[in-house]
Structure formats: structure tokens, C-alpha cells
Amino acid sequence: DGGITQSPKYLFRKEGQNVTLSCEQNLNHDAMYWYRQDPGQGLRLIYYSQIVNDFQKGDIAEGYSVSREKKESFPLTVTSAQKNPTAFYLCASEKGRYSNYGYTFGSGTRLTVV
Amino acid sequence: KQEVTQIPAALSVPEGENLVLNCSFTDSAIYNLQWFRQDPGKGLTSLLLIQSSQREQTSGRLNASLDKSSGRSTLYIAASQPGDSATYLCAVATGAGSYQLTFGKGTKLSVIP
């Protein structure tokens, strides 16, 4: 079955450490997105990518970085510059921006600072 | 800037009851509206997608309507079941040239056996 796989499910980060969250899709979708979810705040867009080797900042990109070297993969790195990284991170994909097919989401990664 | 509001924030109903969840948005120039379900600690599952040219979509016991002119959508759940307990999120795709999905904060539904 086609879908989006996020790993790991749970991740713990020490102060000053960079960590990378994985997102892989086999839907042949061009567009991929990273969202952060905090209690009571809804989902906020971190980064998005429309095609390979291209990505754009979303509303809360500071302290995060991404790459899009393959169509299937869109990893998110949470750097030490992100002061409050504890949150639930969701990756999504879409056939293409403006494609009007809707978003498909992964199962999420919960990141906790220890 | 698009704003999406979902009311109520939480809802508790007895099993078997029909119910309506509401979503309102401020900018009517949308591409589509999508309803999602989220179980605790899980990702989002797409329930229904309504394109801007459509008025409603149906899937099983779920029916979603869209009224662009008034900036409203409703999700109707028929004959609710305890397994329907989850948070329901409404998301609106907006923005010519700067396409973005804006989410509401969700309605947490509890169906009591």
C-alpha cells in the first residue's frame, strides 16, 4: 500500500544536539511538507518542497533545516538553534501543489528534549 | 491571512446520535477544504476533500458540506459510534501564488457507549 512513513516514532534530544526526523513516501507525490503540532495551537508549517532540490520556508522555519535530494524523501533536522523543539512533528505529501487532490499525512514523530 | 475556526472545541454525545461539527474560514477564495481525523498520538487521516466547485462530499456515515460564500463547512456524522471518538480537524487550501493549508484547532469528539 502507498503511504508516508515517518521514523522514529519517538525521539529524545539532549540540549545542544541536532536530530534528524525521517519522512519517506511511495505515493509518487511531488510536494512534501513538515508541520509542527503543539497542544492548543494547531498545526504550523515548518518547510515545504514542491520538487526535488527545491524547498521553501514556512511560518516557523527558524531552528530547522531540510533537504530534498530524492523525490521520495524529505528529512527534517532540528538544530540546536531551535529553543523549544518538544512537539509532535508531522510530514505530509500532495500529488503537486495546486493539484487539488488533498494531503496525505504520516503517523508522526514525537520529539522530547531531555 | 486565512483563519480557520472550529466550534465547539469539544463535544460529548451518546452513542447513536447524529452530530454536526462546524468549521468557518475568513477568506472564501479557497482551492479546497479537507476534513481529517486524528486519534491521540497519531497522524492525520483524511476523511473527505471538497473542492471549491463542489457543495458536498459523502463517505459512508460522513457527509461534508461547503458554503464558500458564507465561509462555512460542516461535517455530519450519522449514527455515531464509540470508535468515532477522536479529534476532527478542518483544513483549508488558499492563496493564489502562495498556496498554503491552514488548519483549525480541531473539535475533540467523545462518543459515550
Side-chain angles (χ1 to χ4, degrees), chain B residues 83-101:
Chain B
D84 294 330
S85 298
T87 296
Y88 291 80
L89 295 163
C90 167
V92 178
T94 328
S98 62
Y99 180 88
Q100 181 157 182
L101 203 64

Side-chain angles (χ1 to χ4, degrees), chain A residues 37 59 94 97-98 100 103, chain B residues 32 34 38 51 99-100:
Chain A
Q37 187 176 35
D59 299 323
E94 188 181 24
R97 292 194 97 199
Y98 307 101
N100 241 351
Y103 281 42
Chain B
N32 59 61
Q34 202 166 357
Q38 186 175 31
Q51 299 188 9
Y99 180 88
Q100 181 157 182

Side-chain angles (χ1 to χ4, degrees), chain B residues 92-112:
Chain B
V92 178
T94 328
S98 62
Y99 180 88
Q100 181 157 182
L101 203 64
T102 304
F103 286 83
K105 294 183 178 180
T107 294
K108 185 175 182 179
L109 173 65
S110 298
V111 181
I112 311 302

Side-chain angles (χ1 to χ4, degrees), chain B:
Chain B
K1 180 182 175 184
Q2 179 74 272
E3 294 181 4
V4 179
T5 303
Q6 292 186 247
I7 296 174
L11 181 64
S12 184
V13 300
E15 182 177 2
E17 192 164 293
N18 300 328
L19 61 101
V20 174
L21 306 181
N22 296 294
C23 172
S24 62
F25 47 93
T26 55
D27 183 354
S28 62
I30 68 171
Y31 287 100
N32 59 61
L33 184 146
Q34 202 166 357
W35 283 94
F36 294 91
R37 168 186 172 136
Q38 186 175 31
D39 294 289
K42 306 292 186 183
L44 275 63
T45 300
S46 180
L47 298 174
L48 290 164
L49 170 71
I50 310 177
Q51 299 188 9
S52 62
S53 59
Q54 298 174 323
R55 295 300 300 267
E56 66 178 321
Q57 282 286 336
T58 298
S59 176
R61 294 183 294 109
L62 305 180
N63 176 276
S65 68
L66 174 63
D67 184 344
K68 277 201 316 178
S69 61
S70 66
R72 294 186 180 185
S73 176
T74 62
L75 179 66
Y76 174 83
I77 303 177
S80 58
Q81 304 170 358
D84 294 330
S85 298
T87 296
Y88 291 80
L89 295 163
C90 167
V92 178
T94 328
S98 62
Y99 180 88
Q100 181 157 182
L101 203 64
T102 304
F103 286 83
K105 294 183 178 180
T107 294
K108 185 175 182 179
L109 173 65
S110 298
V111 181
I112 311 302

